[in-house]
Amino acid sequence: MTSKSVRSLFIALFVLSGAFVQTFVHGQEPIFSGPQVGEKLPQLPAKGLTGEQKGHPFEVLEKIENRPALLVFFHSLTRPAFGMTRALAKFAETKEEAGLQTFVIFLTDDPTATEKWSAILPKQMPSGPTYCISTDGIEGPGAYGLNRNMILTILVAKQGIVTANSALAQPQLQVDGPSILQAIVDATGGGSVPSIAELEQSQMAMNPNMRSRNAAPKQDDPQFTALLRKVINKQADEATVKKAAADVEAYVAEHEFARAELARISTTIVGSDKLANYGTAAAQEILRQWAKKYGDADKQQPAPLQKAEPKQESSK
């Protein structure tokens, strides 16, 4: 196989598989956040945000006892973080009869503001989890060793021992979801693991705001893939690249999932040392612009909470 063929195959695999790029860029060095597999869950003092626990301090471990548990730590309020948590929490509801206890813990240096916007959580998120804030501030309990450079830290535990740890700097349901779902199933006595498509459908049924005028594209949506391939075609002239980029932007404007995927792909490429491998100089500049335009917006605007967060700019 020629070097040109190898390069073309690599590009095609990248566009078709988000998991490949995530592993390639981030898989070289392990990222640690929170207690590791086999370690005990430390004490976790918290204050409730919803339900019977609202406004009351409590110890999470006393609520869990020796039952299986799912703990989701929010380091940053982003759209992917809420999407991931919503999907996991929805699935966790199906495991409540198996004893699963689910806690979503927000890490914040402004508890008052967090308590204020948390009033919309019951409308935006599944009702099963206990939503709370850590009383140890933005870093969380010191014994947990949480990494504030993450977006989410997700722990699954059984009988007080961690059985799975996912430290996510870029939460992606398609990439990270399956292993977390499997860990939940394993901790609760087994059973089937839902597909990501099933989870996404469940989310859209729960939250009508996630629906677009057209059917939401999957990560392997062939139309989005074809449009993106035109942008990173190394044989394309500048005018063709710009026309292809305009077509991509028009498409993602109508499809929220495709927009999120474009943000992920562009920021991953630009954040790696492989940008020169993708398309022409014009295409590489467009990728930089997309990483700034879509990636930065994605970090700044937590979808379920943006209207109630006074420190965030609202946008549609």
Side-chain angles (χ1 to χ4, degrees):
M1 184 178 289
T2 66
S3 60
K4 181 178 179 180
S5 298
V6 171
R7 183 169 63 250
S8 298
L9 177 61
F10 177 79
I11 292 173
L13 287 173
F14 164 76
V15 176
L16 292 173
S17 174
F20 176 83
V21 174
Q22 177 72 2
T23 302
F24 184 80
V25 175
H26 298 289
Q28 295 179 356
E29 296 182 4
I31 300 174
F32 296 101
S33 180
Q36 300 301 297
V37 173
E39 297 179 354
K40 287 186 176 181
L41 287 174
Q43 294 289 304
L44 180 53
K47 184 179 181 181
L49 292 174
T50 60
E52 296 179 357
Q53 298 295 333
K54 184 175 181 179
H56 300 293
F58 65 96
E59 169 54 50
V60 172
L61 292 194
E62 292 179 2
K63 300 291 183 182
I64 294 175
E65 297 178 334
N66 288 321
R67 291 171 290 185
L70 170 65
L71 305 180
V72 180
F73 291 91
F74 261 80
H75 301 270
S76 182
L77 306 180
T78 70
R79 186 174 285 111
F82 279 102
M84 171 75 76
T85 303
R86 186 184 293 111
L88 295 179
K90 192 67 177 176
F91 176 67
E93 289 182 336
T94 69
K95 294 295 182 178
E96 290 179 355
E97 290 187 3
L100 182 66
Q101 304 294 298
T102 303
F103 293 84
V104 177
I105 306 103
F106 293 94
L107 305 175
T108 177
D109 56 4
D110 192 344
T112 301
T114 301
E115 290 181 43
K116 183 177 180 180
W117 60 245
S118 69
I120 69 171
L121 281 173
K123 298 180 180 179
Q124 297 285 349
M125 302 293 283
S127 59
T130 298
Y131 298 94
C132 54
I133 57 176
S134 168
T135 56
D136 288 290
I138 193 71
E139 301 286 350
Y144 271 75
L146 296 166
N147 183 345
R148 68 181 299 177
N149 292 321
M150 299 299 100
I151 298 297
L152 291 176
T153 297
I154 301 174
L155 306 177
V156 179
K158 185 176 182 179
Q159 295 184 338
I161 304 297
V162 177
T163 59
N165 175 305
S166 298
L168 307 179
Q170 296 179 348
Q172 300 168 40
L173 183 59
Q174 291 278 358
V175 176
D176 307 303
S179 62
I180 301 173
L181 294 171
Q182 185 64 62
I184 294 172
V185 167
D186 292 342
T188 54
S192 61
V193 178
S195 68
I196 297 303
E198 290 171 335
L199 284 181
E200 290 174 340
Q201 290 172 0
S202 176
Q203 288 190 77
M204 286 188 287
M206 173 188 170
N207 184 7
N209 291 330
M210 293 182 65
R211 300 172 185 162
S212 63
R213 280 178 283 178
N214 300 312
K218 298 179 182 179
Q219 194 168 8
D220 60 350
D221 172 41
Q223 185 174 352
F224 175 64
T225 298
L227 292 171
L228 196 55
R229 277 178 175 166
K230 292 180 181 179
V231 175
I232 59 175
N233 181 359
K234 283 185 173 292
Q235 282 69 51
D237 58 33
E238 184 173 354
T240 300
V241 169
K242 289 184 177 180
K243 172 62 168 59
D247 291 341
V248 169
E249 294 210 7
Y251 188 78
V252 301
E254 298 293 330
H255 299 83
E256 183 175 353
F257 285 4
R259 185 164 61 252
E261 182 66 358
L262 181 60
R264 186 194 64 76
I265 289 175
S266 60
T267 54
T268 300
I269 294 176
V270 172
S272 72
D273 60 354
K274 305 298 179 181
L275 178 60
N277 293 342
Y278 297 92
T280 64
Q284 292 157 19
E285 177 58 30
I286 288 169
L287 287 169
R288 292 190 190 95
Q289 294 173 6
W290 282 345
K292 183 174 179 60
K293 177 179 179 179
Y294 296 105
D296 288 355
D298 197 48
K299 292 179 180 179
Q300 293 171 5
Q301 298 167 9
L305 304 178
Q306 59 186 9
K307 293 183 179 179
E309 175 58 72
K311 295 184 179 180
Q312 305 284 349
E313 293 184 4
S314 62
S315 64
K316 295 182 181 178

